[in-house]
Amino acid sequence: MLRTQISLAGIIFVAVFFETVLVPGVWSMLRVDLFIGMIIGVMIHLSFSEGLTFVLITSLLLQAFSGARPGLVPMIYLGIFFVACLLKGIIYMENILTQLILAGVLAILVASALVISLDLNPSQTDLVSMAIGGVLTGLLSPLMVALVGSLKKTYEA
Amino acid sequence: MGHGNTNKIILTSIATVVVIVLLSLGQYRSISSGLSPIREAFFVFEKVVTAPFHFAHNIWTDYIFLVGTRAENKEIKNALDQARVQCMVAQELKSENERLRAMLDFKSEHSDFQLFPAQLLSQDITNVFKTVVIDRGRTSGFFADMPVVSPQGLMGRVISVSPHTSQVLLITDPISAVPVIIEESRVKGIVKGMGANMLSLEYVRNTELVQVGSMVVTSGMEGFFPKGLRVGRIAGIWRDPNKIFIRIMVRPCVEMSKIEGLFGVGFHAANAN
């Protein structure tokens, strides 16, 4: 379990580099959330205990890269984890298309919830960047799910 | 109840308690300083990852590209093309000269404060909150609540500092508030971030004379910022006779998406009038 958690934490560093350096370097307003895909991945491939521990610890790490109120980032990602756990019993999560749509919808929902709760007036460019970010998050999520799955298989072998 | 279910409940309870404790302590910004070792680790990671790219870039720009340019120059006999290249070089030098001049002017304008140069390292993981991480920290003279500026104007203030990195809250962040004064009319107000590259000037009474295009600068009152730093220009005014305050939009002087060089200003809140 510990090896899996350490490897996943290592992947998180690469994901943060991608999210905060590479993507904003292309378009400063664009954010692509790779962590949502990882949450779906751990929910599918790991046990509830392992998944929850991973989400809690890594979302605390992610808090270091955000100006959000302390606790808000873990709350959002734990919320996503619980929603994904609930949906696991309803929909077939192993399907790539399901993962793609779920991650994209969750990313857009989180961004919209933040915009509404903070009473912001986003410009049209902001809305476009959020929509594109949601689509890209959805597109990259199956890759992150597969990454978590392959990691699990490697350690099981 | 099975053993697995008990574990699930215990873990869920722990996670909930952690989030509630963090959220309830969220008003104390010092908590985020506890996360600075993570940013430090990321700083090292970023340097290691980008090092081969910088190396390859340097080889390309300093060697291969120059070899290619030399070979190409030998082939080029047309004087007009040479002149065009020279013109392009001159234009690049001119823009660089203008940028350096702006930085120099800024330094001489604010010679009463020590300025600490820094570069952008990474941006916020969300596109709602507007913070950036810069590559200078405590060892370079940066401290919490230090104002951060660019040659164009005020950018924000440091909210968390580690030995080699600092987290900067930009003035466009929804939780940012800066006491300001309109330069021409001397009307005071508070500039708040709106997430996008636009600010809202609040608490200006309906009876005050305010004009579009007026410059808004820091007032230096009860805040973290010295007096007279350019914040932005008034871009729009909406008056409603039924309301006490005017709705004013301010376009920041600094284009936050195009940040290049920036400075930390050696100004302590205790120095404020």
Side-chain angles (χ1 to χ4, degrees), chain B residues 130-162:
Chain B
K130 305 291 175 188
T131 61
V132 293
V133 177
I134 56 174
D135 67 345
R136 292 285 185 271
R138 205 176 294 119
T139 51
S140 307
F142 280 72
F143 52 86
D145 296 330
M146 184 186 211
V148 176
V149 297
S150 84
Q152 287 77 39
L154 181 67
M155 279 181 59
R157 70 182 168 91
V158 173
I159 53 169
S160 175
V161 66
S162 66

Side-chain angles (χ1 to χ4, degrees), chain A residues 20-91:
Chain A
T20 64
V21 180
L22 291 183
V23 173
V26 177
W27 185 15
S28 70
M29 293 172 82
L30 185 66
R31 294 292 182 279
V32 180
D33 197 339
L34 299 180
F35 194 47
I36 294 178
M38 287 186 81
I39 291 174
I40 297 172
V42 294
M43 205 263 314
I44 293 170
H45 298 290
L46 305 183
S47 69
F48 179 85
S49 313
E50 283 180 302
L52 185 62
T53 312
F54 164 74
V55 175
L56 184 62
I57 293 170
T58 45
S59 60
L60 281 169
L61 295 182
L62 292 177
Q63 180 79 62
F65 301 96
S66 177
R69 184 190 178 103
L72 187 62
V73 174
M75 190 181 80
I76 289 168
Y77 287 119
L78 281 171
I80 289 174
F81 179 75
F82 289 128
V83 166
C85 280
L86 282 174
L87 290 174
K88 191 182 180 182
I90 303 166
I91 53 176

Side-chain angles (χ1 to χ4, degrees), chain A residues 48-49 52, chain B residues 1-16:
Chain A
F48 179 85
S49 313
L52 185 62
Chain B
M1 191 181 286
H3 183 66
N5 277 344
T6 316
N7 275 350
K8 278 184 186 180
I9 292 166
I10 291 169
L11 275 169
T12 308
S13 307
I14 291 171
T16 312

Side-chain angles (χ1 to χ4, degrees), chain B residues 172-238:
Chain B
T172 48
D173 189 278
I175 62 164
S176 166
V178 182
V180 293
I181 189 165
I182 299 170
E183 216 169 36
E184 289 155 19
S185 57
R186 314 308 292 171
V187 173
K188 286 174 185 163
I190 303 282
V191 151
K192 287 186 176 175
M194 296 178 70
N197 204 42
M198 193 60 86
L199 307 164
S200 168
L201 177 54
E202 301 190 356
Y203 310 116
V204 175
R205 285 196 295 182
N206 221 335
T207 51
E208 301 284 4
L209 278 173
V210 183
Q211 286 182 320
V212 172
S214 300
M215 177 60 81
V216 175
V217 297
T218 52
S219 66
M221 290 187 72
E222 294 183 39
F224 305 102
F225 307 101
K227 198 174 178 178
L229 292 176
R230 285 188 294 269
V231 176
R233 281 192 187 279
I234 294 177
I237 302 165
W238 291 268

Side-chain angles (χ1 to χ4, degrees), chain B residues 88-106 151-152 260:
Chain B
M88 266 167 31
V89 171
Q91 274 180 347
E92 178 58 30
L93 284 172
K94 189 185 167 200
S95 59
E96 190 183 351
N97 189 19
E98 279 169 1
R99 193 168 62 84
L100 291 172
R101 188 183 292 273
M103 290 172 91
L104 204 63
D105 287 348
F106 186 86
Q152 287 77 39
E260 279 191 27

